[in-house]
Amino acid sequence: MAEAEQRPNAPLLQSSSSRLPDFKQSVKLKYVKLGYHYLISHGMFLFFSPLIAVVVAQLSTLSVKDLHDLWDHLRFNLISVILCSALLVFLFTVYFLRRPRPVYLVNFACYKPEEARKCTRQVFMNRSTLTGSFTEENLAFQRKILERSGLGESTYLPEAVINIPPNPCMAEARKEARTVMFGAIDELLAKTNVKPKDIGILIVNCSLFNPTPSLSAMVVNHYKLRGNIVSYNLGGMGCSAGLLSINLAKDLLQVYPNSYALVISMENITLNWYFGNNRSMLVSNCLFRMGGAAILLSNKRSDRRRSKYQLVHSVRTHKGADDKCFSCVTQEEDEIGKIGVSLSKDLMAVAGDALKTNITTLGPLVLPMSEQLIFFATLVAKKLFKMKVRPYIPDFKLAFEHFCIHAGGRAVLDEIEKNLQLSEWHMEPSRMTLYRFGNTSSSSLWYELAYSEGKGRIKKKDRIWQIAFGSGFKCNSAVWKALKTINPAKEKNPWMDEINDFPVVVPKVSAL
């Protein structure tokens, strides 16, 4: 997702439409109820826990004589014993059959392009000028976007885009896709020692490039994956498609026992560079960059010891039923037939509404009881007693140690930091990812998590919240629990050879 700069005469990033709405203005009760529905529907453990605790406490008080008397009593009540035993066996069988399989994140890898693909901001402007496609006014507009974007001097673009002249064609787009996907997968397989034939589920997401054969078929062909692999290719789902892929993999891993799921998240730049002069379509040129990630998930309990994380929750929010939300990010032709992705002036407001819905649903699943009690007290006062109180926005820093917020653009990160009252430390992975790699679409969350690992911040039992936005309009969350303390000295990720250079200060405006 990107900032919604729209009109030539509009002040850059100043209008109210470029800000998220204040979350404290309203909280819809139906989304709170939805979160508690999720909680109760998985609440058998909550039901049995007090009962088990009472039984254990009672048994701990029994003496040897009490146990002997109990045995004598049971010997003469055989039918009762059999019935109770059968009931217990039945209940435990139902519980274990209905209990969801755990989903482990064994490891992940982020693709780091070669040095030849680096594109400084000045090189970007030079290439844009040399294409001859943009007016002087729109070249100046792109320069202003870059100066305020939060991007640094070391982001990457594919060869077909930075060549003179550019060469956007199907062959080059396939070349970019192979480079990114296979680069990330090769590193992941080396990290995990998993053989390609062991992978039972494959999910690839790429919103704007959907060739035939599909990208998932390209992976199957290159790695000679097995013939009965369950494969999916997700397209057109925006920057939140990475978490949608994780959610789909989670559901599939409930069905297929003892399986590995390979998830690949990426975007393709080559065929989606805009060469027109519609400003609502030019913003994506300035922000989106080359990148991708591969993630290996498992439902094998034997993999728990070597896995990094366990998936705790995934919450999906879809606002597509609303026409304004549906049309705020649209791939279309401009007035002269050039294809680009148009960003509506309502984008930030739509994103804020989707985010508010998502966190209101997620809250009951993750927040400590103290926060929930305060939240409900203010909600009841406002909704039932019509008192003029502002809804309490819970402190999500009590629920999570780390935040991975999609690095869609600087304005988005600024507004989320303010609304969720996060610190600079919490925002650092997202801001540094935007600075170093740009907006890599659905894979940006994994560059952010890799940054936290590289800094040695991930400790055992830490909770990580990943949150992303996407066209449609969607806001999706995933919550992970760290199963081990990550030792950065043993990590191989795109940050490790330069991690000591970060964080850096990124000024509000960095002149070109």
Side-chain angles (χ1 to χ4, degrees):
M1 192 183 78
E3 296 98 328
E5 295 93 341
Q6 287 289 309
R7 300 175 183 173
N9 299 321
L12 196 63
L13 294 174
Q14 296 299 316
S15 67
S16 60
S17 62
S18 67
R19 297 186 180 279
L20 296 182
D22 186 350
F23 289 175
K24 293 186 178 181
Q25 292 302 315
S26 66
V27 175
K28 295 184 178 179
L29 185 60
K30 64 179 180 179
Y31 299 123
V32 180
K33 291 166 62 179
L34 182 60
Y36 275 96
H37 169 73
Y38 289 158
L39 181 65
I40 298 303
S41 63
H42 297 89
M44 187 175 288
F45 176 77
L46 296 177
F47 175 77
F48 277 110
S49 294
L51 181 63
I52 294 172
V54 170
V55 171
V56 171
Q58 185 64 34
L59 290 176
S60 66
T61 63
L62 297 179
S63 64
V64 176
K65 183 179 183 304
D66 292 331
L67 292 174
H68 186 268
D69 292 341
L70 179 62
W71 171 249
D72 286 340
H73 177 72
L74 292 177
R75 281 193 304 166
F76 299 104
N77 293 273
L78 189 58
I79 295 178
S80 299
V81 172
I82 293 174
L83 290 176
C84 290
S85 300
L87 179 60
L88 285 174
V89 169
F90 173 75
L91 290 175
F92 277 103
T93 301
V94 170
Y95 170 71
F96 281 106
L97 288 177
R98 291 179 59 85
R99 185 180 58 170
R101 302 178 194 274
V103 175
Y104 304 116
L105 193 161
V106 181
N107 214 324
F108 66 97
C110 299
Y111 175 69
K112 186 175 186 178
E114 58 188 6
E115 288 293 306
R117 303 281 74 78
K118 272 190 178 178
C119 179
T120 66
R121 295 182 302 156
Q122 191 58 57
V123 167
F124 174 91
M125 290 306 305
N126 291 341
R127 296 298 188 272
S128 294
T129 302
L130 290 173
T131 63
S133 300
F134 309 111
T135 64
E136 288 297 326
E137 292 79 6
N138 280 332
L139 286 172
F141 174 76
Q142 291 181 74
R143 183 182 297 273
K144 286 184 179 180
I145 298 293
L146 280 177
E147 290 176 341
R148 293 158 174 80
S149 65
L151 271 68
E153 301 292 349
S154 300
T155 59
Y156 301 94
L157 283 173
E159 182 179 1
V161 172
I162 60 177
N163 275 353
I164 304 174
N167 181 32
C169 63
M170 184 64 76
E172 288 293 331
R174 287 183 181 274
K175 178 181 177 182
E176 180 192 350
R178 286 194 297 267
T179 301
V180 173
M181 290 194 302
F182 301 162
I185 295 171
D186 287 346
E187 182 179 325
L188 179 64
L189 295 179
K191 284 181 175 181
T192 59
N193 293 319
V194 170
K195 298 177 181 178
K197 293 288 186 182
D198 295 334
I199 297 169
I201 298 168
L202 171 66
I203 302 170
V204 180
N205 70 264
C206 182
S207 291
L208 297 176
F209 181 54
N210 293 287
T212 301
S214 66
L215 296 175
S216 59
M218 290 169 62
V219 175
V220 172
N221 176 261
H222 181 80
Y223 291 96
K224 308 305 177 188
L225 302 184
R226 63 199 203 197
N228 65 341
I229 191 165
V230 180
S231 67
Y232 292 86
N233 199 91
L234 306 183
M237 304 194 80
C239 300
S240 67
L243 294 187
L244 288 172
S245 299
I246 295 294
N247 186 265
L248 175 58
K250 178 195 74 172
D251 292 342
L252 292 170
L253 288 170
Q254 302 306 310
V255 179
Y256 298 93
N258 298 313
S259 295
Y260 285 114
L262 174 62
V263 175
I264 303 161
S265 293
M266 60 170 290
E267 194 50 81
N268 191 283
I269 306 296
T270 298
L271 280 182
N272 297 290
W273 202 252
Y274 176 61
F275 290 97
N277 283 283
N278 185 320
R279 290 195 178 182
S280 69
M281 298 179 176
L282 279 172
V283 177
S284 58
N285 279 14
C286 301
L287 297 178
F288 281 89
R289 294 296 183 264
M290 186 179 183
I295 305 98
L296 186 70
L297 303 176
S298 172
N299 60 10
K300 301 180 181 181
R301 295 188 182 275
S302 59
D303 277 326
R304 179 183 175 89
R305 293 187 62 185
R306 71 177 186 132
S307 296
K308 286 184 171 181
Y309 307 96
Q310 182 174 347
L311 182 62
V312 181
H313 299 292
S314 58
V315 175
R316 299 171 56 172
T317 300
H318 205 307
K319 292 288 188 176
D322 183 280
D323 290 342
K324 184 173 71 173
C325 299
F326 173 76
S327 59
C328 70
V329 180
T330 308
Q331 186 182 26
E332 59 188 4
E333 294 176 333
D334 66 10
E335 57 276 3
I336 61 172
K338 300 287 186 181
I339 296 177
V341 176
S342 174
L343 306 179
S344 162
K345 61 183 176 60
D346 299 317
L347 178 57
M348 290 290 282
V350 167
D353 186 49
L355 174 60
K356 184 167 63 176
T357 301
N358 190 274
I359 66 176
T360 305
T361 304
L362 179 68
L365 304 177
V366 298
L367 288 167
M369 188 57 66
S370 59
E371 286 293 293
Q372 296 198 42
L373 289 175
I374 300 173
F375 174 76
F376 264 104
T378 56
L379 191 66
V380 168
K382 182 178 178 65
K383 298 291 184 179
L384 297 184
F385 298 102
K386 307 301 181 183
M387 297 174 63
K388 294 183 178 180
V389 295
R390 303 181 77 183
Y392 175 70
I393 299 301
D395 185 359
F396 280 89
K397 298 188 292 296
L398 298 175
F400 306 107
E401 284 73 35
H402 308 281
F403 295 79
C404 296
I405 301 164
H406 169 52
R410 182 171 195 155
V412 178
L413 297 180
D414 288 346
E415 291 299 312
I416 291 178
E417 178 181 3
K418 183 182 73 174
N419 272 283
L420 295 183
Q421 300 176 358
L422 303 179
S423 67
E424 291 184 5
W425 188 88
H426 290 116
M427 297 299 298
E428 187 180 309
S430 299
R431 293 194 185 280
M432 293 305 101
T433 295
L434 181 63
Y435 178 85
R436 178 61 181 84
F437 293 97
N439 181 349
T440 60
S441 190
S442 57
S443 66
S444 70
L445 300 174
W446 302 103
Y447 288 90
E448 294 165 17
L449 185 55
Y451 179 89
S452 295
E453 291 185 351
K455 282 291 185 181
R457 295 181 176 181
I458 306 296
K459 309 301 181 185
K460 187 175 181 179
K461 296 185 179 181
D462 278 1
R463 298 154 297 178
I464 300 99
W465 182 16
Q466 292 181 319
I467 188 163
F469 309 91
S471 57
F473 192 86
K474 300 177 289 294
C475 178
N476 301 311
S477 291
V479 178
W480 303 89
K481 182 179 72 174
L483 298 177
K484 62 174 71 172
T485 297
I486 305 298
N487 182 357
K490 297 181 179 179
E491 286 301 305
K492 180 182 179 183
N493 72 44
W495 295 95
M496 294 316 301
D497 58 349
E498 52 187 305
I499 191 65
N500 293 328
D501 298 334
F502 293 92
V504 298
V505 176
V506 184
K508 294 289 185 182
V509 179
S510 179
L512 267 172

